Protein backbone atom coordinates (compact mmCIF):
# COMPACT_ATOMS: atom_id res chain seq x y z
CA UNK A 1 0.00 0.00 0.00
CA UNK A 2 1.64 3.22 -1.18
CA UNK A 3 1.33 6.25 1.11
CA UNK A 4 3.37 8.53 -1.09
CA UNK A 5 5.91 7.63 -3.78
CA UNK A 6 8.52 5.24 -2.33
CA UNK A 7 6.85 5.06 1.08
CA UNK A 8 4.77 1.96 1.73
CA UNK A 9 2.59 0.69 4.55
CA UNK A 10 3.79 -2.84 5.36
CA UNK A 11 1.83 -3.37 8.53
CA UNK A 12 -0.76 -6.00 9.39
CA UNK A 13 -4.41 -6.00 10.38
CA UNK A 14 -5.49 -8.17 13.29
CA UNK A 15 -9.26 -8.16 12.83
CA UNK A 16 -10.13 -10.95 15.30
CA UNK A 17 -8.18 -9.69 18.33
CA UNK A 18 -10.40 -8.31 21.08
CA UNK A 19 -7.86 -7.70 23.83
CA UNK A 20 -4.80 -5.53 24.26
CA UNK A 21 -3.50 -6.25 27.75
CA UNK A 22 -7.05 -6.05 29.10
CA UNK A 23 -8.02 -3.06 26.90
CA UNK A 24 -11.11 -4.29 25.01
CA UNK A 25 -10.54 -3.80 21.29
CA UNK A 26 -14.02 -4.10 19.82
CA UNK A 27 -12.82 -3.73 16.25
CA UNK A 28 -9.45 -5.43 16.39
CA UNK A 29 -5.94 -4.05 16.13
CA UNK A 30 -3.46 -2.80 13.58
CA UNK A 31 0.32 -2.97 13.76
CA UNK A 32 1.66 -0.38 11.36
CA UNK A 33 5.11 -0.54 9.83
CA UNK A 34 6.50 1.63 7.04
CA UNK A 35 9.03 0.91 4.31
CA UNK A 36 11.00 3.74 2.73
CA UNK A 37 12.67 2.97 -0.59
CA UNK A 38 15.63 5.30 -0.81
CA UNK A 39 19.38 4.80 -1.33
CA UNK A 40 19.40 3.15 2.08
CA UNK A 41 16.23 1.12 2.38
CA UNK A 42 14.65 1.80 5.76
CA UNK A 43 11.97 0.03 7.75
CA UNK A 44 10.14 1.96 10.47
CA UNK A 45 8.97 -0.30 13.30
CA UNK A 46 7.78 -3.87 13.28
CA UNK A 47 4.79 -6.02 14.05
CA UNK A 48 3.74 -8.63 16.60
CA UNK A 49 5.72 -11.85 16.33
CA UNK A 50 2.90 -14.02 14.98
CA UNK A 51 2.59 -11.67 11.97
CA UNK A 52 6.32 -11.42 11.17
CA UNK A 53 6.11 -13.74 8.13
CA UNK A 54 3.10 -11.81 6.81
CA UNK A 55 5.00 -8.57 7.11
CA UNK A 56 8.09 -9.96 5.39
CA UNK A 57 5.90 -11.13 2.47
CA UNK A 58 4.49 -7.62 2.16
CA UNK A 59 8.00 -6.15 2.12
CA UNK A 60 8.89 -8.62 -0.66
CA UNK A 61 6.29 -6.92 -2.87
CA UNK A 62 8.56 -3.87 -2.98
CA UNK A 63 12.11 -5.00 -2.26
CA UNK A 64 14.25 -7.88 -1.11
CA UNK A 65 14.06 -7.72 2.72
CA UNK A 66 17.79 -8.49 2.81
CA UNK A 67 18.33 -5.02 1.36
CA UNK A 68 16.95 -3.23 4.44
CA UNK A 69 19.85 -1.16 5.78
CA UNK A 70 18.16 0.77 8.57
CA UNK A 71 15.55 -0.49 10.99
CA UNK A 72 14.13 2.35 13.07
CA UNK A 73 12.66 1.16 16.36
CA UNK A 74 10.57 3.95 17.81
CA UNK A 75 9.29 1.82 20.71
CA UNK A 76 10.01 -1.60 22.15
CA UNK A 77 6.66 -2.78 23.47
CA UNK A 78 6.25 -6.32 22.09
CA UNK A 79 3.23 -5.46 19.91
CA UNK A 80 5.77 -3.66 17.69
CA UNK A 81 9.06 -5.29 18.54
CA UNK A 82 8.40 -9.02 18.92
CA UNK A 83 8.55 -9.55 15.14
CA UNK A 84 11.85 -7.66 14.81
CA UNK A 85 14.20 -10.58 15.47
CA UNK A 86 12.90 -12.13 12.22
CA UNK A 87 13.76 -8.98 10.27
CA UNK A 88 17.18 -8.69 11.90
CA UNK A 89 17.91 -12.35 11.09
CA UNK A 90 17.25 -11.70 7.40
CA UNK A 91 18.70 -8.21 6.90
CA UNK A 92 21.15 -7.59 9.76
CA UNK A 93 20.32 -3.86 9.53
CA UNK A 94 21.57 -0.96 11.60
CA UNK A 95 18.96 -0.70 14.36
CA UNK A 96 18.26 2.95 15.14
CA UNK A 97 16.71 3.62 18.56
CA UNK A 98 17.07 5.42 21.88
CA UNK A 99 19.44 4.28 24.61
CA UNK A 100 16.55 2.94 26.67
CA UNK A 101 15.20 1.08 23.66
CA UNK A 102 18.58 -0.58 23.08
CA UNK A 103 18.64 -1.73 26.72
CA UNK A 104 15.08 -3.01 26.44
CA UNK A 105 15.67 -4.88 23.18
CA UNK A 106 18.76 -6.53 24.66
CA UNK A 107 16.68 -7.63 27.62
CA UNK A 108 13.65 -8.81 25.64
CA UNK A 109 15.43 -10.59 22.79
CA UNK A 110 18.98 -11.09 23.97
CA UNK A 111 19.67 -8.80 21.02
CA UNK A 112 23.28 -8.58 19.96
CA UNK A 113 22.29 -6.29 17.11
CA UNK A 114 24.09 -3.56 15.24
CA UNK A 115 22.67 -0.63 17.21
CA UNK A 116 22.87 3.07 16.48
CA UNK A 117 21.65 5.02 19.51
CA UNK A 118 20.16 8.44 18.70
CA UNK A 119 19.17 11.51 20.71
CA UNK A 120 16.58 14.20 20.07
CA UNK A 121 17.44 16.33 17.05
CA UNK A 122 19.87 13.82 15.53
CA UNK A 123 19.42 13.04 11.88
CA UNK A 124 20.29 10.28 9.44
CA UNK A 125 20.47 10.88 5.70
CA UNK A 126 19.14 7.83 3.87
CA UNK A 127 19.45 9.26 0.34
CA UNK A 128 16.98 11.86 -0.85
CA UNK A 129 15.38 11.75 2.57
CA UNK A 130 16.51 12.73 6.04
CA UNK A 131 15.16 11.15 9.21
CA UNK A 132 15.12 13.30 12.35
CA UNK A 133 14.53 11.70 15.74
CA UNK A 134 12.65 13.13 18.70
CA UNK A 135 12.80 11.31 22.04
CA UNK A 136 9.41 11.20 23.76
CA UNK A 137 10.16 9.44 27.06
CA UNK A 138 7.05 8.16 28.86
CA UNK A 139 4.88 8.69 25.82
CA UNK A 140 4.25 6.11 26.76
CA UNK A 141 7.34 4.08 27.71
CA UNK A 142 10.80 5.36 28.69
CA UNK A 143 12.22 4.17 25.34
CA UNK A 144 9.68 5.91 23.10
CA UNK A 145 10.66 8.24 20.28
CA UNK A 146 9.15 9.60 17.07
CA UNK A 147 10.79 9.85 13.66
CA UNK A 148 10.27 12.75 11.26
CA UNK A 149 10.86 12.36 7.55
CA UNK A 150 12.06 15.90 7.02
CA UNK A 151 11.67 16.66 3.31
CA UNK A 152 8.29 14.91 2.98
CA UNK A 153 7.03 16.23 6.36
CA UNK A 154 5.83 12.87 7.59
CA UNK A 155 5.87 12.06 11.30
CA UNK A 156 6.08 8.42 12.36
CA UNK A 157 4.52 8.98 15.74
CA UNK A 158 4.59 5.47 17.21
CA UNK A 159 1.72 4.95 19.70
CA UNK A 160 0.96 8.68 19.78
CA UNK A 161 -2.13 9.57 17.71
CA UNK A 162 -2.84 5.85 17.26
CA UNK A 163 -6.07 3.96 17.53
CA UNK A 164 -6.86 0.32 18.27
CA UNK A 165 -8.90 -0.50 15.23
CA UNK A 166 -8.42 -2.81 12.29
CA UNK A 167 -9.93 -1.38 9.13
CA UNK A 168 -9.37 -1.66 5.43
CA UNK A 169 -9.38 2.13 5.37
CA UNK A 170 -5.89 3.50 5.85
CA UNK A 171 -6.53 7.26 6.13
CA UNK A 172 -8.51 9.47 8.50
CA UNK A 173 -10.60 10.95 5.71
CA UNK A 174 -11.80 7.46 4.81
CA UNK A 175 -12.85 6.39 8.32
CA UNK A 176 -15.75 8.38 9.69
CA UNK A 177 -15.14 7.64 13.39
CA UNK A 178 -11.34 7.88 13.38
CA UNK A 179 -11.30 10.58 16.07
CA UNK A 180 -13.52 8.46 18.33
CA UNK A 181 -11.13 5.50 18.12
CA UNK A 182 -8.20 7.82 18.78
CA UNK A 183 -10.05 9.05 21.86
CA UNK A 184 -10.53 5.50 23.16
CA UNK A 185 -6.81 4.88 22.62
CA UNK A 186 -5.76 8.16 24.26
CA UNK A 187 -7.98 7.57 27.32
CA UNK A 188 -6.64 4.08 27.94
CA UNK A 189 -2.97 4.50 27.03
CA UNK A 190 -1.92 8.15 27.16
CA UNK A 191 -4.22 9.85 29.68
CA UNK A 192 -1.72 9.55 32.58
CA UNK A 193 0.84 11.48 30.55
CA UNK A 194 -1.25 14.54 29.71
CA UNK A 195 1.54 16.95 30.71
CA UNK A 196 3.94 15.20 28.37
CA UNK A 197 1.42 15.37 25.55
CA UNK A 198 1.31 19.15 25.97
CA UNK A 199 5.11 19.22 26.08
CA UNK A 200 5.17 17.20 22.86
CA UNK A 201 3.54 20.07 21.00
CA UNK A 202 6.43 22.28 22.20
CA UNK A 203 8.95 19.64 21.09
CA UNK A 204 7.47 19.82 17.61
CA UNK A 205 8.29 23.53 17.55
CA UNK A 206 11.77 22.99 18.98
CA UNK A 207 12.70 20.29 16.47
CA UNK A 208 10.86 21.89 13.54
CA UNK A 209 8.37 19.12 13.14
CA UNK A 210 5.53 20.36 11.00
CA UNK A 211 3.86 17.23 9.69
CA UNK A 212 1.64 17.06 6.65
CA UNK A 213 1.02 13.41 7.50
CA UNK A 214 1.09 11.69 10.90
CA UNK A 215 1.64 7.96 10.57
CA UNK A 216 1.15 6.19 13.92
CA UNK A 217 1.87 2.56 14.72
CA UNK A 218 -1.77 1.66 15.25
CA UNK A 219 -4.81 2.37 13.14
CA UNK A 220 -5.31 4.85 10.34
CA UNK A 221 -2.85 7.46 9.06
CA UNK A 222 -3.75 11.14 9.53
CA UNK A 223 -3.69 13.03 6.27
CA UNK A 224 -5.25 15.90 8.18
CA UNK A 225 -2.91 16.08 11.18
CA UNK A 226 -4.49 19.20 12.64
CA UNK A 227 -7.70 17.27 13.16
CA UNK A 228 -6.06 14.96 15.71
CA UNK A 229 -3.48 17.35 17.18
CA UNK A 230 -6.34 19.71 18.10
CA UNK A 231 -8.16 16.87 19.90
CA UNK A 232 -4.97 15.82 21.72
CA UNK A 233 -4.57 19.33 23.12
CA UNK A 234 -8.19 19.29 24.29
CA UNK A 235 -7.84 15.87 25.93
CA UNK A 236 -4.49 16.69 27.53
CA UNK A 237 -6.03 19.81 29.07
CA UNK A 238 -8.95 17.70 30.37
CA UNK A 239 -11.46 20.01 28.73
CA UNK A 240 -14.84 18.59 29.62
CA UNK A 241 -18.24 18.44 28.02
CA UNK A 242 -21.46 19.15 29.92
CA UNK A 243 -21.53 15.50 30.85
CA UNK A 244 -21.53 13.20 33.88
CA UNK A 245 -20.85 9.49 34.16
CA UNK A 246 -22.37 7.17 36.73
CA UNK A 247 -20.28 4.07 37.30
CA UNK A 248 -21.46 1.36 39.65
CA UNK A 249 -21.55 -2.26 40.69
CA UNK A 250 -24.21 -3.93 42.76
CA UNK A 251 -24.85 -7.14 44.70
CA UNK A 252 -28.61 -7.05 45.36
CA UNK A 253 -29.60 -3.99 43.28
CA UNK A 254 -29.50 -1.49 46.15
CA UNK A 255 -26.50 0.45 44.79
CA UNK A 256 -28.04 0.11 41.34
CA UNK A 257 -31.21 1.85 42.54
CA UNK A 258 -29.10 4.71 43.89
CA UNK A 259 -27.24 4.87 40.56
CA UNK A 260 -30.47 5.21 38.58
CA UNK A 261 -31.88 7.86 40.94
CA UNK A 262 -28.67 9.92 40.75
CA UNK A 263 -28.61 9.58 36.94
CA UNK A 264 -32.27 10.69 36.74
CA UNK A 265 -31.46 13.72 38.88
CA UNK A 266 -28.51 14.68 36.66
CA UNK A 267 -30.56 14.18 33.49
CA UNK A 268 -33.35 16.40 34.85
CA UNK A 269 -30.93 19.36 34.68
CA UNK A 270 -30.30 18.78 30.98
CA UNK A 271 -26.76 17.50 31.54
CA UNK A 272 -25.80 14.46 29.47
CA UNK A 273 -25.33 11.34 31.59
CA UNK A 274 -23.81 7.95 30.78
CA UNK A 275 -24.32 4.93 33.07
CA UNK A 276 -21.94 1.99 33.32
CA UNK A 277 -21.77 -1.23 35.31
CA UNK A 278 -18.15 -2.27 35.87
CA UNK A 279 -18.93 -5.97 35.45
CA UNK A 280 -21.09 -5.56 32.35
CA UNK A 281 -19.36 -2.77 30.49
CA UNK A 282 -15.79 -2.68 29.24
CA UNK A 283 -13.46 -0.57 31.35
CA UNK A 284 -11.90 0.82 28.17
CA UNK A 285 -15.29 2.26 27.19
CA UNK A 286 -15.95 3.63 30.67
CA UNK A 287 -12.69 5.57 30.95
CA UNK A 288 -13.20 6.94 27.42
CA UNK A 289 -16.33 8.67 28.74
CA UNK A 290 -14.56 9.70 31.96
CA UNK A 291 -11.92 11.54 29.91
CA UNK A 292 -14.22 14.43 28.95
CA UNK A 293 -16.90 14.17 31.65
CA UNK A 294 -17.07 16.94 34.24
CA UNK A 295 -18.58 14.78 37.00
CA UNK A 296 -17.83 11.17 37.86
CA UNK A 297 -20.22 9.40 40.26
CA UNK A 298 -19.01 6.05 41.53
CA UNK A 299 -21.04 3.59 43.58
CA UNK A 300 -20.57 0.11 45.00
CA UNK A 301 -21.57 -2.05 47.93
CA UNK A 302 -19.33 -2.90 50.83
CA UNK A 303 -17.95 -6.42 51.07
CA UNK A 304 -15.73 -7.53 53.96
CA UNK A 305 -15.38 -3.91 55.10
CA UNK A 306 -14.05 -2.75 51.73
CA UNK A 307 -15.37 -1.76 48.36
CA UNK A 308 -16.85 -4.65 46.34
CA UNK A 309 -13.84 -6.32 44.62
CA UNK A 310 -14.81 -5.73 40.95
CA UNK A 311 -15.08 -2.02 41.73
CA UNK A 312 -11.73 -2.19 43.56
CA UNK A 313 -10.21 -3.47 40.29
CA UNK A 314 -11.82 -0.68 38.29
CA UNK A 315 -10.70 1.95 40.80
CA UNK A 316 -7.12 0.68 40.49
CA UNK A 317 -7.34 1.07 36.72
CA UNK A 318 -8.92 4.53 36.99
CA UNK A 319 -6.40 5.77 39.52
CA UNK A 320 -3.51 4.69 37.30
CA UNK A 321 -4.93 6.67 34.37
CA UNK A 322 -5.00 9.85 36.51
CA UNK A 323 -8.04 11.69 35.11
CA UNK A 324 -8.02 15.29 36.34
CA UNK A 325 -10.38 18.22 36.97
CA UNK A 326 -13.43 16.17 37.94
CA UNK A 327 -16.27 16.58 40.41
CA UNK A 328 -16.50 13.29 42.33
CA UNK A 329 -19.44 11.68 44.10
CA UNK A 330 -19.55 8.36 45.96
CA UNK A 331 -22.73 6.38 46.64
CA UNK A 332 -22.80 3.08 48.48
CA UNK A 333 -24.84 0.44 50.23
CA UNK A 334 -23.83 -1.80 53.11
CA UNK A 335 -25.21 -4.44 55.42
CA UNK A 336 -23.61 -4.04 58.83
CA UNK A 337 -20.40 -2.12 58.34
CA UNK A 338 -19.24 0.44 55.83
CA UNK A 339 -15.96 0.61 53.88
CA UNK A 340 -16.87 1.06 50.24
CA UNK A 341 -17.61 4.76 50.62
CA UNK A 342 -14.25 5.47 52.25
CA UNK A 343 -12.39 3.46 49.59
CA UNK A 344 -14.07 5.32 46.72
CA UNK A 345 -13.65 8.76 48.26
CA UNK A 346 -10.02 7.86 49.04
CA UNK A 347 -9.32 7.33 45.33
CA UNK A 348 -11.12 10.55 44.39
CA UNK A 349 -9.05 12.46 46.94
CA UNK A 350 -5.86 10.88 45.62
CA UNK A 351 -6.87 12.15 42.17
CA UNK A 352 -7.46 15.62 43.69
CA UNK A 353 -11.06 15.75 42.50
CA UNK A 354 -13.59 18.09 44.06
CA UNK A 355 -15.56 15.59 46.14
CA UNK A 356 -19.23 16.31 46.89
CA UNK A 357 -20.96 14.73 49.92
CA UNK A 358 -22.49 11.47 48.73
CA UNK A 359 -24.89 8.92 50.14
CA UNK A 360 -24.69 5.58 51.94
CA UNK A 361 -27.68 3.35 52.67
CA UNK A 362 -28.14 0.18 54.71
CA UNK A 363 -29.61 -2.87 52.93
CA UNK A 364 -32.23 -1.31 50.64
CA UNK A 365 -32.68 2.43 49.88
CA UNK A 366 -35.95 3.78 51.24
CA UNK A 367 -38.12 6.12 49.18
CA UNK A 368 -36.68 8.98 51.20
CA UNK A 369 -33.13 7.87 50.42
CA UNK A 370 -33.93 7.50 46.72
CA UNK A 371 -35.35 11.03 46.77
CA UNK A 372 -32.15 12.24 48.40
CA UNK A 373 -30.08 10.42 45.72
CA UNK A 374 -32.15 12.14 43.01
CA UNK A 375 -31.56 15.52 44.66
CA UNK A 376 -27.82 14.84 44.83
CA UNK A 377 -28.01 14.09 41.09
CA UNK A 378 -29.70 17.47 40.54
CA UNK A 379 -26.94 19.15 42.58
CA UNK A 380 -24.28 17.42 40.46
CA UNK A 381 -26.04 18.39 37.23
CA UNK A 382 -26.28 22.04 38.26
CA UNK A 383 -22.64 22.06 39.31
CA UNK A 384 -21.58 20.58 35.96
CA UNK A 385 -23.49 23.34 34.18
CA UNK A 386 -21.89 26.04 36.38
CA UNK A 387 -18.38 24.68 35.87
CA UNK A 388 -18.66 24.03 32.12
FE1 LIG B 1 1.62 -0.12 20.65
FE2 LIG B 1 3.16 0.84 23.50
O1 LIG B 1 2.82 -0.28 22.07
Amino acid sequence: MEIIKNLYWVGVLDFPERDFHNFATHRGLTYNSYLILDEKITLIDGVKHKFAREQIKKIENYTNPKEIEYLVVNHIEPDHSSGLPEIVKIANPTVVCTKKAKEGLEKYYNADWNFKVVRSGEEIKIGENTLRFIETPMLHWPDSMMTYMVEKQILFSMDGFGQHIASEERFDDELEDAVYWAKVYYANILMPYANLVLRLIKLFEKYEVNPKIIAPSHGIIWRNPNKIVKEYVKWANFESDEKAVVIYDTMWHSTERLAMAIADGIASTGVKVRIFNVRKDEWADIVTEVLDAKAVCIGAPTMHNHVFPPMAGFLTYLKGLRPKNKIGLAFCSYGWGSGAYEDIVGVMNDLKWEVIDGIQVQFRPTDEELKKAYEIGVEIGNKVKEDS
Side-chain angles (χ1 to χ4, degrees):
M1 159 107 214
E2 188 181 72
I3 298 169
I4 57 165
K5 193 163 177 281
N6 292 329
L7 172 64
Y8 299 92
W9 176 81
V10 288
V12 294
L13 301 170
D14 189 358
F15 279 102
E17 183 61 67
R18 289 291 175 273
D19 177 83
F20 183 82
H21 54 51
N22 203 39
F23 170 166
T25 55
H26 301 294
R27 290 186 50 189
L29 286 153
T30 315
Y31 312 101
N32 291 338
S33 174
Y34 303 95
L35 180 70
I36 307 171
L37 297 187
D38 204 333
E39 278 171 35
K40 292 185 186 301
I41 295 174
T42 300
L43 184 68
I44 312 271
D45 293 314
V47 299
K48 205 172 174 178
H49 181 259
K50 68 176 179 176
F51 298 108
R53 286 305 316 163
E54 184 180 333
Q55 184 194 27
I56 289 163
K57 280 191 153 187
K58 281 187 183 165
I59 294 170
E60 282 168 351
N61 289 329
Y62 309 109
T63 188
N64 183 340
K66 285 185 185 163
E67 305 295 318
I68 295 170
E69 288 195 51
Y70 282 121
L71 170 60
V72 175
V73 181
N74 283 314
H75 177 36
I76 64 166
E77 195 167 2
D79 50 328
H80 309 287
S81 71
S82 55
L84 296 180
E86 301 296 323
I87 302 278
V88 173
K89 217 186 292 169
I90 293 171
N92 192 24
T94 299
V95 177
V96 182
C97 63
T98 63
K99 182 169 176 284
K100 286 273 180 208
K102 175 177 179 284
E103 289 165 7
L105 291 168
E106 286 168 343
K107 198 87 202 313
Y108 266 127
Y109 308 112
N110 210 13
D112 182 17
W113 299 346
N114 179 22
F115 286 105
K116 177 173 175 53
V117 168
V118 289
R119 304 289 312 265
S120 282
E122 268 186 55
E123 293 182 346
I124 292 178
K125 192 91 183 138
I126 58 169
E128 276 182 23
N129 292 290
T130 310
L131 301 179
R132 183 180 298 153
F133 307 100
I134 299 100
E135 293 170 281
T136 56
M138 294 320 296
L139 274 181
H140 69 123
W141 276 25
D143 56 273
S144 301
M145 72 170 186
M146 297 186 180
T147 297
Y148 186 52
M149 200 171 163
V150 178
E151 292 81 1
K152 305 291 185 336
Q153 293 179 258
I154 298 174
L155 179 68
F156 301 101
S157 61
M158 194 5 73
D159 284 335
F161 310 107
Q163 331 93 54
H164 276 333
I165 181 169
S167 70
E168 294 295 352
E169 295 86 355
R170 290 268 54 77
F171 297 100
D172 62 294
D173 42 292
E174 298 168 346
L175 188 74
E176 209 174 293
D177 47 3
V179 168
Y180 172 74
W181 293 106
K183 180 182 171 190
V184 177
Y185 189 92
Y186 178 91
N188 285 276
I189 305 281
L190 296 171
M191 182 155 48
Y193 311 112
N195 290 343
L196 298 176
V197 169
L198 295 174
R199 185 176 155 258
L200 179 67
I201 308 302
K202 293 202 168 70
L203 286 181
F204 287 174
E205 285 165 23
K206 180 173 177 187
Y207 294 108
E208 294 175 23
V209 174
N210 184 23
K212 286 186 176 159
I213 291 177
I214 294 182
S217 292
H218 295 290
I220 55 83
I221 295 162
W222 303 94
R223 274 197 291 223
N224 303 282
N226 287 344
K227 184 157 82 179
I228 190 61
V229 171
K230 189 177 68 168
E231 295 295 331
Y232 259 54
V233 171
K234 180 182 156 197
W235 298 331
N237 280 313
F238 289 98
E239 285 180 28
S240 53
D241 289 343
E242 213 171 76
K243 180 174 80 174
V245 287
V246 176
I247 305 162
Y248 75 97
D249 203 339
T250 196
M251 287 165 72
W252 298 107
H253 303 290
S254 295
T255 315
E256 188 170 60
R257 288 181 188 197
L258 293 175
M260 300 308 149
I262 291 166
D264 284 349
I266 295 169
S268 74
T269 65
V271 166
K272 197 161 40 163
V273 59
R274 295 289 315 273
I275 307 168
F276 295 101
N277 179 314
V278 294
R279 271 186 294 161
K280 295 181 179 171
D281 294 299
E282 295 292 352
W283 294 0
D285 300 333
I286 303 174
V287 298
T288 302
E289 293 297 328
V290 167
L291 173 66
D292 57 4
K294 186 66 212 171
V296 181
C297 311
I298 300 179
T302 289
M303 182 185 249
H304 307 142
N305 301 110
H306 284 286
V307 69
F308 193 42
M311 180 56 84
F314 176 77
L315 288 171
T316 301
Y317 188 55
L318 183 72
K319 191 173 159 182
L321 290 172
R322 302 203 290 267
K324 285 186 190 160
N325 302 343
K326 309 293 176 197
I327 299 163
L329 171 85
F331 57 97
C332 300
S333 63
Y334 63 93
W336 50 94
S338 70
Y341 189 87
E342 291 76 7
D343 287 347
I344 295 170
V345 168
V347 169
M348 290 176 174
N349 284 333
D350 286 347
L351 290 168
K352 300 190 170 38
W353 292 0
E354 178 189 351
V355 182
I356 305 289
D357 282 345
I359 181 168
Q360 293 194 76
V361 303
Q362 187 184 28
F363 295 131
R364 183 67 93 219
T366 61
D367 287 348
E368 267 308 295
E369 285 166 333
L370 287 174
K371 189 163 171 279
K372 187 177 172 205
Y374 180 90
E375 281 161 4
I376 291 172
V378 172
E379 183 191 342
I380 289 278
N382 286 334
K383 211 161 163 31
V384 167
K385 287 206 285 195
E386 273 167 33
D387 292 2
S388 295

